[in-house]
Amino acid sequence: MFNKDFYPTPDSVIEDMHFGIDVADKIILEPSAGKGNIVDYLQSNGAKEVIACEINNDLAKIVSGKCRLIASNFLLLTSADVSHIDMIVMNPPFSEEEKHILHAWEIAPSGCLIVSLCNDSVVSNVNTEKKREISQLIKSNGKSIFLDSCFVDSERKTSVEVSCIYLSKPAVEEEDFSKYFSMEEDFEEQG
């Protein structure tokens, strides 16, 4: 249709991805929004704001009518671009899914939840360095759920077995600087 990686996420899969996750009043990034199926779901379930990236110009035109696009290429976003978000929810292009998952982890602010579909081989066949990194992230910070061949009856069909990864970026507590400074100290003016 639009490109080899365009597989719109069916509503049933989106619901499986979000089982038990409250998106109400959250600011959420959709890094590869396609035509906006995940965006539509998040908005209809009370997300405070959905922001997105979409690299395909035709798809970007569609999704820009649904939410604010902050960039075309998600892989070029920095931590500063997304420092205000609560969640990242994505169905990344499977040709670059490992890069997308690792980049999401790298730029996500503390306390952020990352929910990502992926080819099940990312979690079941850990035979590359990137897959090992993702496997370690899952072990340390989350879980994965096998969704089977959930795109067999979708708008664009495939029998690829799919999993969903959930990663929680640990919250970083503000550092206590009180041991370094005393409000009662008098500082001499340098002059």
Side-chain angles (χ1 to χ4, degrees):
M1 186 176 209
F2 285 92
N3 66 45
K4 67 181 175 67
D5 285 317
F6 179 62
Y7 285 87
T9 315
D11 290 344
S12 61
V13 175
I14 298 170
E15 291 197 14
D16 288 345
M17 291 171 70
H18 291 90
F19 184 76
I21 297 173
D22 184 10
V23 300
D25 297 320
K26 305 277 192 298
I27 299 172
I28 305 171
L29 169 65
E30 213 293 30
S32 39
K35 66 183 184 81
N37 291 16
I38 292 174
V39 170
D40 292 339
Y41 175 89
L42 296 170
Q43 290 174 334
S44 69
N45 283 275
K48 181 177 182 178
E49 180 183 14
V50 180
I51 57 176
C53 301
E54 177 50 53
I55 202 160
N56 179 285
N57 289 333
D58 294 326
L59 293 171
K61 287 177 188 171
I62 294 168
V63 82
S64 68
K66 299 179 178 195
C67 69
R68 181 169 60 96
L69 290 178
I70 61 168
S72 60
N73 189 343
F74 166 66
L75 296 174
L76 299 178
L77 286 183
T78 67
S79 297
D81 297 322
V82 296
S83 62
H84 64 295
I85 66 170
D86 301 300
M87 294 176 69
I88 297 174
V89 179
M90 61 182 171
N91 175 8
F94 280 17
S95 65
E96 293 191 322
E97 64 195 334
E98 295 161 17
K99 284 184 193 175
H100 280 245
I101 293 165
L102 293 171
H103 187 66
W105 179 260
E106 180 183 324
I107 67 170
S110 69
C112 186
L113 175 64
I114 300 165
V115 179
S116 179
L117 292 179
C118 65
N119 185 317
D120 181 62
S121 70
V122 170
V123 295
S124 65
N125 188 14
V126 184
N127 61 356
T128 67
E129 183 58 36
K130 287 181 180 172
K131 287 181 181 180
R132 284 190 283 278
E133 285 180 57
I134 292 168
S135 177
Q136 187 56 49
L137 286 173
I138 293 168
K139 286 177 187 166
S140 301
N141 302 287
K143 65 181 180 177
S144 67
I145 295 175
F146 180 64
L147 299 179
D148 209 344
S149 300
C150 56
F151 281 76
V152 291
D153 295 321
S154 64
E155 184 177 338
R156 184 155 180 218
K157 297 168 183 17
T158 180
S159 60
V160 170
E161 291 184 333
V162 175
S163 282
C164 189
I165 294 173
Y166 302 85
L167 299 172
S168 286
K169 189 94 176 238
V172 176
E173 299 200 14
E174 290 188 35
E175 192 159 339
D176 180 9
F177 291 103
S178 63
K179 62 185 172 194
Y180 302 109
F181 300 104
S182 170
M183 295 304 284
E184 298 172 6
E185 289 182 21
D186 291 327
F187 292 98
E188 293 181 26
E189 286 190 34
Q190 302 290 327

